[in-house]
Amino acid sequence: MINSEIRAVTLETTSSDVAGTPGAAPAIVEVRGLSKRFGATRALVDGSLSVAPGEVVALLGENGSGKSTLVKLLSGVLSPDEGQIFVAGTAVRLRSPRAALAAGIVTVFQEILAARDRLVLDNLWLGHGSPVLSRTAVTGRRRLASEAWHRLAGHDVDLDRPLGELTLMEQQICVVVRALLRDPKLLVLDESTSTLDVELRDRLFAEVRRRAADGMGCLFISHRMDEVMAIADRFVALRTGQVVGVRRRGEADARELIRLISGRDVEAGARRTGTVRRGSAAVRLEDVSLRPGTRPFAATVSRGEIVGLAGLEGHGQDELIRCLAGLQTPHSGSVHVAGPKGRADDDPAAVTTYRGGVARGVVYVPRDRKVEGMADVLPIIDNYSMPTLDRDRIGGVLRPRRTKTRFQRDARTVNFTPGRQDSIGRLSGGNQQKVIIARWLAAEPRVILLNDPTRGVDLKTKHELYEVFRGLADAGAAVVMLSSEVDELVHLMDRVLVFHDGSLSAELAGDDVTPESLVSAYFGRPAVPTAPTAPTAPTAPTAPTAPTGGH
Amino acid sequence: MSAITTVVPPRVRKLLEISPRTRGALTNGPIQIVTVVAIFLVGKAAVPGFAQPYSVKAMLVIASFLGIAALGQTFVVLIGGIDLSVPALIGAGNVIGARLSGEGMNSVEVIAIVLVIGLLVGAVNGLVTSVWHLPPLVVTLATGSVVGGAVLIWTNATLSGSAPSWLTKFTSAASSTGPLPVAPVVILWLALAVVAQVFIRRSRPGRQIFMLGANRQAAELMLVSERTISAVCFGLSGALASLAGFLLAGFTGAGLFTVGDPYLFLSIAAVVIGGTSLLGGRGGVFRTVLGSLTLVELTTLLVGQSLSSAAQQAVLGAVIVCVTALYGRDRNVRDRV
């Protein structure tokens, strides 16, 4: 139900012509000639854009292209140096986030901005009304909140639990529902889908569509091309602070859009090396069951391969990667890691603690960079060197020069170019991730555990990270990577372990990894029998559903 | 700026460039130094004799007691904690030091006993807060209360003992250290600050202090042991507080538990005014040296204005709020998102 009549066609690539198409409904929000600079950096130059009632506009661009700046201008976090913002045809000045909310522009930011110690209910109504007088009575709030949650998520939530006890995905749902409860005229979703699994993401899209049919506009930002292609009516591409192109749905394919935002031709997907020379087993899971009552399973991960962990959020893949890292112990069974010489039979030992894991060469890149991955107020070099500082000591005294030398070498391996920036908090998400990975290269890892490492990372950097992961595997490491992105699983992984209901439900290898086989495995169904793609694949007819260990 | 970078050849540009470290020192260092100098000039103008050598020497001696205690507090604040047992340990160091010395015990042994007691109490603070995840505010207040109670029972809450004569000289504003015209205790303070600086910059636990303070969860995943580092920081704080108490005996002549009382507020204020964030992870040792100097100058200035002690307190509090607002603030949320 997209009423295309309502959709105004007000596309401006330059500032000169900004008038909307005559006769069309006025845009919910229109910005003209918006500029913002930070010191010598021009974050946004002459940005123009409009969103009509019922329209979903995707804002595309790499990190640093000016997307976040535009979003912050629209949500009243920053004020523009030049240019104007129009709401329903009237020029407004959004001096504060409150003013933007009052104008009907509701933004869901990339970071989950919520009070983790407060109840879900409180978080859903955070910032509503004054603390003393509220427009909605308490009982009404409870009902509205649970209805809105149910409509978006398809299940109920205990409104009286502290938000911090919920999963990352549920916290993300919370901030989205909070935005929806405000009945936005323009909903701005800035990377708000990065923690959602495919099922929820589709539900969110359906909700956005439903609201759009009632006249809401949506500005959608995501690094995932599949999502953008699925939801947007119009694409606005930004590069180095400037609008470089506007396309309507159907006018451009993913490849064209990527070319627009990156300024060059990039392959749309990740790369899987056709033949994998798999080495000896590096990790062996024996009779592991993750929760009481779930079916035990076995699996191995070998040196030289990249193995994906997938599934809908909360189906066990996250628990497994934490078990592998020694951060939690499986309900039963054990995780064995090969000894230093790299042969499985050579001194394999069970890993039960995180430190024990690191000592055996098991390193872990956590999911939430800000909370677990780094200290954003400290310099890059400290975030890099912390766990391996003893290497830089001579007679008990640290030698910063040694740290620096080491960092330059490992930074090259992960394709990170240290700039003048000193604090890790000021780097883009992708570069932060590179520093975190470089940190563990110094520990000579044999098993690298990556928990959704490309979340919130722009396309170009994503590709660089894929190259890094492949390089690490080629150098003999076993790479285990949890991913919530179907594209990534299909194109990068040598094998994918799919989890359902706390247990391994399918093991897909090579060209058997397709979007269709993945999604059906997500829901616990056996893979589609009709091989959907790649008839030339020389893979052996392994039963994908058999939860047997390795090969 | 951008014009320069395009025209100037790279080699020259590199020379012109300020390294991030230098830039950090410029933006963080001078304001504290400026404050110290500015208050000094105000004092010089407002209070007769304020800038006289004897007065300056006396201020430095007083600053060194505060400075040593605040140095310890700095370690705790850097890991995001707070040590409220400082006054009790200063009192304990003072009483124990004076009494044992009065009983004729060798000063080396006395110092060792005082340091070990401070270290142990501090280590207990560190372990209790990190193992059971209790708020340091409550834990250190409680251990301070235990220490205070024990000392009062031991001494019957009377003035007791006497400081050894060398200590009186060591802390006398009139004495000098070799060729230097300041009391040895001032040199000891600055030497401790240098050692502490080397420790936090050039040792593994020193760097780990910052990581633990900046992000506890991430620190754990970077193999930083919260228990060890907490025990070290609180232990150092305890040891330095009791050392400061012992040194104070030279100044006061005998042991009195309540000498520590003003240091609850002052030791924390010195850290904060120096520019170390109470949220942890940001700050340094030399800042606290400057913070201690600022505070002592301020109190001297207020005393010189012959304000009543109640009025002194009020003005001091107000000034601290202003100074903290000037540069002790945390970054705005807007700059962080």
Side-chain angles (χ1 to χ4, degrees):
Chain A
M1 268 306 292
I2 310 155
N3 32 1
S4 49
E5 291 83 3
I6 295 179
R7 246 189 282 145
V9 196
T10 49
L11 330 175
E12 308 83 34
T13 45
T14 59
S15 63
S16 54
D17 177 16
V18 287
T21 306
I28 298 175
V29 170
E30 180 176 355
V31 301
R32 294 183 198 166
L34 229 47
S35 296
K36 181 76 188 175
R37 49 165 71 227
F38 300 103
T41 319
R42 282 143 59 99
L44 186 67
V45 185
D46 203 8
S48 297
L49 160 93
S50 76
V51 182
E55 189 184 35
V56 179
V57 175
L59 199 55
L60 306 172
E62 292 172 351
N63 285 336
S65 61
K67 286 178 312 202
S68 299
T69 306
L70 188 55
V71 168
K72 284 179 186 168
L73 292 171
L74 275 175
S75 51
V77 175
L78 298 173
S79 312
D81 298 333
E82 283 164 46
Q84 278 183 304
I85 299 173
F86 297 85
V87 174
T90 326
V92 292
R93 291 195 62 180
L94 306 172
R95 289 164 198 270
S96 67
R98 196 169 281 275
L101 289 174
I105 303 173
V106 182
T107 306
V108 180
F109 288 98
Q110 193 168 353
E111 292 86 5
I112 294 174
L113 300 175
R116 292 162 51 87
D117 296 332
R118 303 298 303 273
L119 305 182
V120 176
L121 182 68
D122 298 339
N123 270 291
L124 287 171
W125 290 101
L126 200 65
H128 255 261
S130 83
V132 189
L133 304 163
S134 64
R135 262 173 269 164
T136 322
V138 178
T139 47
R141 287 188 167 203
R142 183 173 281 279
R143 187 177 50 78
L144 281 172
S146 82
E147 277 174 15
W149 186 292
H150 191 95
R151 192 160 53 233
L152 180 64
H155 62 82
D156 287 317
V157 69
D158 183 357
L159 293 171
D160 298 317
R161 270 174 75 188
L163 184 77
E165 289 177 9
L166 270 53
T167 64
L168 200 59
M169 179 166 90
E170 287 171 314
Q171 295 181 22
Q172 178 83 67
I173 295 172
C174 175
V175 290
V176 174
V177 171
R178 180 168 70 202
L180 291 171
L181 281 170
R182 285 181 176 275
D183 277 324
K185 292 194 184 78
L186 177 71
L187 177 66
V188 183
L189 296 171
D190 184 1
E191 284 288 327
S192 317
T193 49
S194 61
T195 57
L196 302 183
D197 63 30
V198 283
E199 186 190 7
L200 242 135
R201 190 193 64 194
D202 289 346
R203 294 193 69 98
L204 173 63
F205 286 177
E207 179 67 15
V208 168
R209 274 286 159 229
R210 208 180 58 78
R211 298 245 181 170
D214 293 338
M216 183 187 80
C218 177
L219 191 61
F220 182 80
I221 295 160
S222 167
H223 287 307
R224 299 188 179 176
M225 287 316 292
D226 55 336
E227 294 185 348
V228 171
M229 300 302 289
I231 184 98
D233 300 316
R234 203 148 56 81
F235 312 96
V236 176
L238 284 170
R239 198 193 317 149
T240 58
Q242 282 172 301
V243 175
V244 291
V246 179
R247 298 284 185 277
R248 246 182 300 168
R249 184 189 198 90
E251 280 180 358
D253 59 4
R255 202 187 171 89
E256 152 95 2
L257 291 172
I258 293 169
R259 198 187 51 71
L260 264 180
I261 56 180
S262 66
R264 65 190 167 279
D265 240 327
V266 187
E267 243 178 272
R271 174 184 65 107
R272 170 163 53 217
T273 46
T275 52
V276 183
R277 291 188 308 278
R278 253 198 279 151
S280 54
V283 182
R284 227 173 48 239
L285 298 165
E286 284 170 2
D287 287 328
V288 169
S289 73
L290 296 168
R291 302 168 191 169
T294 56
R295 191 161 39 83
F297 60 91
T300 53
V301 182
S302 305
R303 289 156 57 90
E305 67 172 345
I306 304 181
V307 172
L309 303 181
L312 297 176
E313 171 91 18
H315 277 258
Q317 65 276 30
D318 195 57
E319 282 139 281
L320 180 69
I321 202 166
R322 291 178 63 85
C323 287
L324 291 173
L327 289 167
Q328 84 185 57
T329 41
H331 177 66
S332 67
S334 56
V335 175
H336 290 268
V337 174
K341 283 170 197 156
R343 273 174 282 144
D345 305 324
D346 191 51
D347 185 26
V351 168
T352 48
T353 64
Y354 180 74
R355 275 164 195 266
V358 176
R360 297 221 122 219
V362 180
V363 301
Y364 175 67
V365 174
R367 182 171 196 184
D368 197 333
R369 275 193 291 277
K370 274 222 165 96
V371 176
E372 299 179 308
M374 60 182 206
D376 56 1
V377 295
L378 292 189
I380 294 168
I381 194 87
D382 278 340
N383 274 287
Y384 159 78
S385 62
M386 200 51 60
T388 49
L389 273 176
D390 43 0
R391 281 153 211 248
D392 306 324
R393 279 192 298 197
I394 301 174
V397 180
L398 295 176
R399 301 299 156 109
R401 189 157 297 179
R402 290 182 72 153
T403 317
K404 210 173 160 191
T405 316
R406 218 151 58 83
F407 177 57
Q408 278 163 351
R409 189 193 58 221
D410 289 330
R412 249 199 314 278
T413 313
V414 299
N415 200 4
F416 171 70
T417 325
R420 276 199 269 170
Q421 191 50 261
D422 188 41
S423 148
I424 194 169
R426 299 273 168 129
L427 294 179
S428 71
N431 279 332
Q432 290 173 348
Q433 199 65 281
K434 286 179 180 176
V435 174
I436 294 169
I437 292 162
R439 168 197 301 160
W440 291 114
L441 292 182
E444 284 150 30
R446 282 184 295 277
V447 178
I448 300 169
L449 307 172
L450 305 162
N451 196 342
D452 220 353
T454 60
R455 189 166 77 87
V457 171
D458 71 61
L459 258 171
K460 183 173 145 255
T461 316
K462 250 182 205 176
H463 282 268
E464 288 173 11
L465 285 175
Y466 296 153
E467 295 294 325
V468 170
F469 301 155
R470 184 51 77 189
L472 292 172
D474 287 345
V479 179
V480 178
M481 175 168 160
L482 185 150
S483 171
S484 50
E485 195 174 336
V486 170
D487 253 8
E488 198 166 270
L489 292 162
V490 170
H491 294 287
L492 179 68
M493 308 300 175
D494 297 313
R495 278 191 299 143
V496 178
L497 307 179
V498 184
F499 288 79
H500 182 72
D501 267 347
S503 184
L504 183 67
S505 80
E507 185 182 332
L508 306 168
D511 292 329
D512 288 342
V513 187
T514 62
E516 294 78 13
S517 65
L518 276 172
V519 170
S520 60
Y522 281 7
F523 291 94
R525 295 191 293 266
V528 193
T530 51
T533 50
T536 53
T539 35
T542 47
T545 44
T548 50
H551 284 261
Chain B
M1 166 117 189
S2 58
I4 293 174
T5 46
T6 47
V7 176
V8 178
R11 195 176 296 171
V12 181
R13 200 192 312 158
K14 200 160 188 188
L15 284 175
L16 291 175
E17 216 165 72
I18 304 169
S19 82
R21 203 160 156 189
T22 325
R23 200 182 313 138
L26 283 174
T27 48
N28 293 323
I31 190 146
Q32 280 88 343
I33 296 173
V34 166
T35 315
V36 170
V37 173
I39 297 178
F40 184 79
L41 293 177
V42 171
K44 191 178 172 188
V47 181
F50 186 88
Q52 290 299 309
Y54 184 82
S55 159
V56 172
K57 284 190 203 173
M59 280 196 274
L60 283 173
V61 168
I62 296 168
S64 58
F65 301 126
L66 169 61
I68 289 169
L71 216 54
Q73 186 75 263
T74 309
F75 290 114
V76 174
V77 171
L78 278 176
I79 60 168
I82 196 160
D83 189 353
L84 301 187
S85 66
V86 163
L89 282 168
I90 289 178
N94 189 264
V95 169
I96 294 166
R99 252 186 105 129
L100 294 182
S101 300
E103 285 166 12
M105 195 186 264
N106 177 341
S107 287
V108 176
E109 287 170 35
V110 174
I111 293 172
I113 289 172
V114 164
L115 284 177
V116 167
I117 289 175
L119 194 69
L120 284 180
V121 172
V124 167
N125 281 336
L127 288 174
V128 169
T129 49
S130 59
V131 173
W132 290 321
H133 295 283
L134 295 175
L137 194 92
V138 175
V139 173
T140 56
L141 209 53
T143 51
S145 173
V146 170
V147 169
V151 169
L152 290 178
I153 291 169
W154 187 46
T155 61
N156 283 324
T158 52
L159 199 67
S160 57
S162 65
S165 57
W166 70 265
L167 185 59
T168 314
K169 221 171 156 196
F170 193 81
T171 56
S172 160
S175 47
S176 55
T177 318
L180 300 166
V182 289
V185 69
V186 179
I187 304 299
L188 173 69
W189 167 38
L190 298 178
L192 284 173
V194 170
V195 172
Q197 174 71 10
V198 172
F199 172 68
I200 61 168
R201 285 278 147 215
R202 292 296 185 93
S203 79
R204 199 163 86 113
R207 301 314 296 154
Q208 290 181 326
I209 286 172
F210 284 87
M211 187 54 75
L212 186 66
N215 186 339
R216 218 151 278 257
Q217 228 174 320
E220 205 68 41
L221 290 179
M222 288 185 232
L223 307 182
V224 176
S225 162
E226 186 182 350
R227 278 178 211 192
T228 312
I229 299 300
S230 285
V232 166
C233 289
F234 279 95
L236 285 172
S237 179
L240 287 167
S242 56
L243 176 65
F246 173 74
L247 295 169
L248 263 172
F251 199 70
T252 53
L256 182 63
F257 182 73
T258 50
V259 291
D261 289 354
Y263 290 89
L264 177 63
F265 178 61
L266 288 176
S267 69
I268 296 165
V271 173
V272 174
I273 286 185
T276 294
S277 165
L278 280 173
L279 299 175
R282 275 158 294 171
V285 166
F286 289 145
R287 298 177 178 206
T288 301
V289 171
L290 294 171
S292 308
L293 282 173
T294 309
L295 272 178
V296 171
E297 279 182 344
L298 262 177
T299 38
T300 311
L301 178 61
L302 296 176
V303 172
Q305 292 292 310
S306 53
L307 290 179
S308 69
S309 90
Q312 272 178 46
Q313 257 190 347
V315 174
L316 192 61
V319 170
I320 285 167
V321 170
C322 296
V323 175
T324 314
L326 201 63
Y327 54 75
R329 270 190 306 182
D330 198 41
R331 261 194 300 158
N332 195 323
V333 180
R334 179 169 295 195
D335 301 331
R336 280 186 290 175
V337 170

